[in-house]
Amino acid sequence: MIEKISKICWNDFNWSKPSGSNGKSRSTSTQENTVGAGHEEWLLDKSKIVDGFHYGFLQPINNTIRHVGNTYKLWLYTITGKQKFLVGSIDNATCISKDESEKIFKIYKRNGWINEMIADLKNAGVDPQFLKETDADIFFNVKFRIRSITLLDDFQKISLKDKNLTTTRYKLLDKVAEFKFDAVKQKGTVSYSRKSISETIVDPYHSKIQNTLSKILRTDKQFRNIKVENMNIDVQATSNKGELNFFEIKTATAKNNIRQALGQLFEYSFFPDTDKAKKLIVVGDIEPSSSVKKYIKHLREKTGLKIFYRWVDMEKKLLSPEF
């Protein structure tokens, strides 16, 4: 598969919704500076799916007819504070025509998703006029399946000696060599944006996973007494053995899901001096790597706690075994 490299604007919310001007380009010649947002703010928004695909926009592909119909592996990088970071990749990303963009725009509008995007911008303190003025036939230019997304646990600092990034403009680049990184890896969102995602922010994709998980558990004869959002717990269920299970859902990478969820699960089960749940289960939407499976097993052995990882296949509506 042909590999290409695309620049995307900085985003504090892993490109699921606009995050405002924080970390954006300081160049007054760019839209992300003058407006405070880019069209790719929703690039990895997993909540909006049409016929199995998520549709997005990448500035380097904009109005370039020669890309239509081509399928690429897209490497994504961003710049904040003059530092370039590799953030992840998308496999099998297909560039779409203006006709398909117009068709998908109508579906988005009918579903109320355009209004949601406008509200997202307003919540981020951004004037949504640029989005309202974007023509339907160029609103989207790429489509891919959610499972094709790979977001790095920690964004990697790209070296100035890297041969791939020959320009920092929004231009689709060929991947001509392996990426060259600086020796020290830097963390992504929290370290460089100086701002973490608030737990009070409503994530529609989180809600979709929550609804799917609760439905699966209700049809599973191993569980009973399924509760959603009870005492801030995403989902809880009682096993046939009478053991209470707490499920905490996160939508980042598997490793980061564990990082974010364990503190909450500990508090829900043990604060101030209780022992409520027998199993603490982190839930994501992608299969963990072998190293993450090894890590969660190591945590069980070291702590003596029944900590597990499970993932929901949102396309097949299936729940994985415990890892």
Side-chain angles (χ1 to χ4, degrees):
M1 181 180 297
I2 299 174
E3 298 185 50
K4 297 284 188 178
I5 304 170
S6 176
K7 179 183 175 182
I8 55 178
C9 68
W10 179 262
N11 182 282
D12 289 323
F13 299 149
N14 289 335
W15 296 272
S16 63
K17 64 171 61 179
S19 59
S21 59
N22 183 64
K24 294 293 196 292
S25 171
R26 298 172 185 172
S27 172
T28 55
S29 64
T30 63
Q31 175 183 294
E32 61 176 292
N33 175 277
T34 57
V35 174
H39 282 84
E40 64 271 32
E41 303 273 5
W42 301 269
L43 181 66
L44 305 183
D45 176 7
K46 300 177 182 180
S47 69
K48 298 174 178 64
I49 304 297
V50 179
D51 296 330
F53 287 93
H54 172 62
Y55 288 77
F57 179 91
L58 285 169
Q59 185 63 41
I61 298 175
N62 192 32
N63 290 329
T64 310
I65 298 175
R66 66 187 178 91
H67 292 300
V68 173
N70 289 349
T71 298
Y72 303 126
K73 175 168 185 172
L74 294 174
W75 293 92
L76 307 174
Y77 83 97
T78 190
I79 301 176
T80 185
K82 296 184 179 181
Q83 177 60 58
K84 297 186 283 287
F85 292 96
L86 185 70
V87 302
S89 63
I90 303 172
D91 289 334
N92 298 303
T94 301
C95 304
I96 67 171
S97 66
K98 289 186 175 183
D99 287 343
E100 187 168 0
S101 174
E102 194 164 4
K103 173 187 171 185
I104 299 304
F105 181 87
K106 290 177 181 177
I107 294 173
Y108 263 57
K109 192 170 183 179
R110 186 169 65 244
N111 290 346
W113 293 343
I114 300 297
N115 287 337
E116 283 184 18
M117 294 169 76
I118 291 171
D120 287 342
L121 287 167
K122 290 180 179 178
N123 290 336
V126 177
D127 186 343
Q129 194 60 34
F130 81 94
L131 193 73
K132 294 178 181 178
E133 294 175 350
T134 303
D135 294 333
D137 62 351
I138 58 169
F139 205 87
F140 306 100
N141 56 22
V142 66
K143 69 178 181 181
F144 48 87
R145 296 189 182 277
I146 291 302
R147 294 180 68 177
S148 298
I149 300 170
T150 299
L151 197 63
L152 299 180
D153 295 316
D154 301 300
F155 300 165
Q156 297 197 20
K157 190 177 179 182
I158 300 174
S159 170
L160 293 174
K161 297 178 181 179
D162 182 79
K163 296 180 180 179
N164 296 290
L165 305 188
T166 55
T167 178
T168 56
R169 294 182 178 274
Y170 282 90
K171 179 181 178 182
L172 198 64
L173 301 173
D174 294 321
K175 186 173 184 290
V176 298
E178 293 300 314
F179 287 103
K180 187 175 181 62
F181 303 110
D182 283 350
V184 179
K185 293 182 182 179
Q186 305 288 356
K187 291 191 191 300
T189 310
V190 176
S191 294
Y192 279 86
S193 70
R194 300 169 300 281
K195 176 178 169 186
S196 60
I197 299 175
S198 170
E199 288 295 328
T200 61
I201 292 175
V202 177
D203 180 355
Y205 185 60
H206 177 282
S207 299
K208 286 189 174 185
I209 298 176
Q210 189 176 40
N211 292 335
T212 300
L213 174 61
S214 62
K215 287 179 182 178
I216 292 172
L217 293 177
R218 286 190 175 99
T219 60
D220 190 333
K221 295 181 180 180
Q222 298 181 67
F223 294 101
R224 56 183 171 80
N225 197 25
I226 314 301
K227 295 181 181 180
V228 176
E229 290 294 346
N230 184 55
M231 297 184 298
N232 293 323
I233 301 160
D234 284 338
V235 180
Q236 59 178 284
T238 303
S239 72
N240 288 336
K241 297 179 181 179
E243 295 181 338
L244 188 58
N245 289 231
F246 284 175
F247 298 83
E248 181 63 27
I249 299 166
K250 297 297 177 185
T251 59
T253 65
K255 182 181 174 183
N256 282 335
N257 288 345
I258 295 170
R259 181 185 297 167
Q260 295 169 17
L262 282 186
Q264 288 176 263
L265 285 168
F266 288 169
E267 180 181 321
Y268 298 154
S269 186
F270 305 133
F271 185 85
D273 57 355
T274 58
D275 190 3
K276 299 187 183 95
K278 294 301 179 184
K279 282 189 179 181
L280 306 176
I281 304 167
V282 181
V283 179
D285 70 328
I286 55 174
E287 182 175 3
S289 65
S290 57
S291 60
V292 171
K293 292 176 184 178
K294 185 177 181 180
Y295 172 55
I296 200 77
K297 181 181 178 183
H298 183 59
L299 288 179
R300 283 197 300 274
E301 293 172 348
K302 282 293 183 181
T303 65
L305 298 173
K306 293 184 177 180
I307 305 168
F308 296 92
Y309 193 98
R310 303 185 75 170
W311 66 284
V312 178
D313 186 326
M314 291 298 286
E315 289 186 16
K316 298 179 181 178
K317 308 301 181 188
L318 297 173
L319 179 63
S320 77
E322 295 176 343
F323 294 109

